[in-house]
Amino acid sequence: MTVETRLEERRHILRELRFATRKVGDELHGSAEITPEMHVPGTGHLRTSILATWADTVSGLLAALLMGPRVPVTLELDVNVYRPLPGAGVVRMIGRTVKVGRSVFVAETECSVDGVPVAFGAASFMVAPNPDVQFHGNLSIDMPAGTERLTVPLADRAGCERRAPGVAVLPRTEDGLNASNTVNGGLIALAAEEAVLSLAPGDSLSFLGLRYLQAARVGPVVATAQLHDGVGRVELRDSGNENRLATLATARTFNS
């Protein structure tokens, strides 16, 4: 089968973040304006998981340029934040290719807000194991900001709920899928963040790292976190698929 790769071809939660991308030489540049709906609950700071989402987008598009028409899937992704993120301004992200191997692609990202560096990260990808999962039509690298705007907090829009201290649940929804029709990796990052921050109200994340072990195909995704001295470990399981472990995440918090 073939799948759509352009999120603008169908309504998608992450398009409502209004992140635009464009190719600049060998780099991929992305930008978006921070809005209050992107804040960590109870704070005035941008979510680290949103930076992770955008880093995944920028790095994944770079990977797709080389792996297409096969679809790249994320293996690992991390974001390191220098200080609590601002709650307003324009985010600009630059993605660069670091390594192109026979089976693995690696990219790095740098992020600033209104010209001030705020974070950096890296991501690695492999091609989807199923050779029938391919891009539909031409790959879109230059993407304008989405026409729809996030009007409620991101977790509410995604239906991600904190069920108990250390536990967050993310449903599988049609407008939250990736190019392989599985739960989007950026929303999995959101669930991991929610699970950790439910144990540290008022804090935000200085680091978020994710190891994607297998796709979350059925859902809901249940994120279960432990937090000790500001260091968190999260298991994210596909509860509708024999509770299989889909992603392992690590996080660090700082008091914001």
Side-chain angles (χ1 to χ4, degrees):
M1 68 175 179
T2 59
V3 295
E4 297 170 349
T5 59
R6 295 179 58 175
L7 294 181
E8 65 265 33
E9 291 180 2
R10 59 182 178 183
R11 186 179 179 89
H12 197 283
I13 295 168
L14 299 182
R15 286 293 293 162
E16 297 175 19
L17 298 175
R18 296 179 56 80
F19 186 67
T21 61
R22 62 189 179 95
K23 191 84 160 45
V24 180
D26 293 332
E27 301 174 343
L28 193 68
H29 292 197
S31 62
E33 182 178 357
I34 301 171
T35 67
E37 292 78 16
M38 301 178 189
H39 292 175
V40 174
T43 79
H45 302 293
L46 175 67
R47 284 182 175 275
T48 301
S49 64
I50 290 180
L51 288 191
T53 297
W54 291 339
D56 191 39
T57 298
V58 166
S59 302
L61 286 172
L62 287 172
L65 284 173
L66 297 172
M67 293 180 170
R70 297 285 295 276
V71 173
V73 294
T74 314
L75 293 174
E76 294 189 337
L77 173 68
D78 65 68
V79 175
N80 300 268
V81 178
Y82 299 130
R83 64 192 69 85
L85 294 167
V90 176
V91 174
R92 300 193 185 280
M93 184 172 287
I94 298 174
R96 303 182 182 91
T97 299
V98 174
K99 177 182 178 181
V100 181
R102 291 185 177 180
S103 58
V104 176
F105 172 92
V106 180
E108 64 177 358
T109 54
E110 294 180 356
C111 186
S112 63
V113 176
D114 292 342
V116 179
V118 296
F120 68 94
S124 60
F125 298 82
M126 61 175 284
V127 294
N130 183 352
D132 294 330
V133 178
Q134 297 187 4
F135 298 133
H136 175 68
N138 295 325
L139 175 65
S140 175
I141 295 297
D142 293 324
M143 295 194 305
T147 56
E148 300 289 334
R149 176 176 173 172
L150 194 65
T151 58
V152 297
L154 179 59
D156 293 346
R157 175 67 179 86
C160 185
E161 299 180 357
R162 299 182 183 186
R163 295 285 178 85
V167 179
V169 179
L170 173 73
R172 181 189 188 277
T173 60
E174 288 299 314
D175 56 0
L177 303 181
N178 59 24
S180 300
N181 285 319
T182 58
V183 178
N184 187 279
L187 296 179
I188 287 177
L190 170 67
E193 181 183 50
E194 282 290 276
V196 172
L197 295 183
S198 70
L199 298 171
D203 286 2
S204 58
L205 299 185
S206 63
F207 171 79
L208 179 60
L210 302 113
R211 293 180 176 85
Y212 295 98
L213 307 178
Q214 63 176 323
R217 303 183 183 281
V218 181
V221 175
V222 178
T224 305
Q226 297 177 331
L227 184 65
H228 300 287
D229 295 326
V231 179
R233 177 185 183 275
V234 192
E235 291 187 356
L236 297 106
R237 295 184 177 272
D238 188 355
S239 63
N241 188 19
E242 299 179 347
N243 209 36
R244 293 180 178 177
L245 183 62
T247 305
L248 279 175
T250 55
R252 287 183 179 272
T253 65
F254 41 28
N255 192 304
S256 53

